[in-house]
Amino acid sequence: MKKVEDYVRTIPDFPEPGIMFRDITSVLQDPDGLQTAIQGMEELLKDVEFDLVVGPESRGFIFGVPVAYNLKKGFIPVRKKGKLPCETVEMTYDLEYGTATIELHKDAIKPGQKVVIIDDLIATGGTIEAIVKLVEQLGGEVVKIIFLMELEGLNGREKLKGYDMDAVIRYPGK
């Protein structure tokens, strides 16, 4: 039986020399790869009590929605600024070059709800750190953060100290 990492395509020197790009489209396009990835994430949640799954657009939607569906939980989308139609809370965070702003509906998470955050990748951790702050601002409790892949060489885990975080696949480099 193949492991999830067997479905990940590695592209050397993309987007610049020295980078080993880990492409998840090869996981998504293979039915067994996609199922293995979702099952791997669900396995990381087997002993976790929670109410909601939160995921950032767009790849957090890809993995978070099937996990929420399979485990009979609600899914809360985190969107780029200006994409949600109701009243929102927002958080601006730093990117490599510039900033980005994300939003959640103000009524999406009730005080005391236990939240799992799911995304495809943790690199520097800035996006997820901003999501954690939004969840907590609304009174939610982040009980687990799950990624398909972690690029350990970029030290994103440092921004999420104190949170239960896991990844299906860990790559030692960048």
Side-chain angles (χ1 to χ4, degrees):
M1 183 165 175
K2 291 171 83 171
K3 297 183 287 187
V4 179
E5 49 264 49
D6 297 331
Y7 296 95
V8 176
R9 177 174 38 200
T10 300
I11 303 165
D13 300 319
F14 181 82
E16 57 188 59
I19 301 293
M20 299 296 283
F21 186 82
R22 309 298 181 173
D23 181 19
I24 66 159
T25 61
S26 51
V27 175
L28 299 174
Q29 69 193 26
D30 187 292
D32 292 330
L34 180 57
Q35 189 171 46
T36 302
I38 299 300
Q39 288 171 343
M41 291 180 155
E42 290 174 5
E43 181 65 22
L44 296 174
L45 290 170
K46 70 179 179 182
D47 296 320
V48 179
E49 288 185 35
F50 65 100
D51 303 304
L52 300 168
V53 174
V54 170
E57 67 174 292
S58 63
R59 294 176 306 259
F61 293 12
I62 292 170
F63 293 106
V65 168
V67 170
Y69 177 84
N70 288 341
L71 300 179
K72 297 180 176 44
K73 306 295 181 183
F75 179 81
I76 308 299
V78 178
R79 302 286 318 264
K80 294 174 185 162
K81 185 173 177 64
K83 300 290 184 181
L84 290 171
C86 296
E87 189 176 357
T88 62
V89 291
E90 68 179 48
M91 184 70 54
T92 299
Y93 61 99
D94 291 327
L95 299 169
E96 189 175 352
Y97 302 104
T99 61
T101 301
I102 55 172
E103 296 180 322
L104 275 173
H105 276 141
K106 193 173 186 178
D107 63 355
I109 298 169
K110 309 291 184 267
Q113 285 188 305
K114 295 179 184 207
V115 173
V116 168
I117 300 171
I118 295 181
D119 204 2
D120 69 321
L121 173 75
I122 179 167
T124 62
T127 304
I128 300 302
E129 180 185 38
I131 293 169
V132 166
K133 289 176 181 177
L134 284 175
V135 168
E136 291 175 347
Q137 180 181 332
L138 293 175
E141 177 189 356
V142 176
V143 295
K144 185 94 175 180
I145 304 169
I146 293 181
F147 303 95
L148 180 63
M149 296 185 291
E150 178 179 0
L151 302 179
E152 294 174 325
L154 294 174
N155 302 317
R157 191 175 282 269
E158 291 297 312
K159 287 187 179 163
L160 302 170
K161 277 188 175 172
Y163 294 94
D164 185 1
M165 187 188 108
D166 213 341
V168 177
I169 308 167
R170 290 187 184 88
Y171 291 105
K174 295 180 178 182

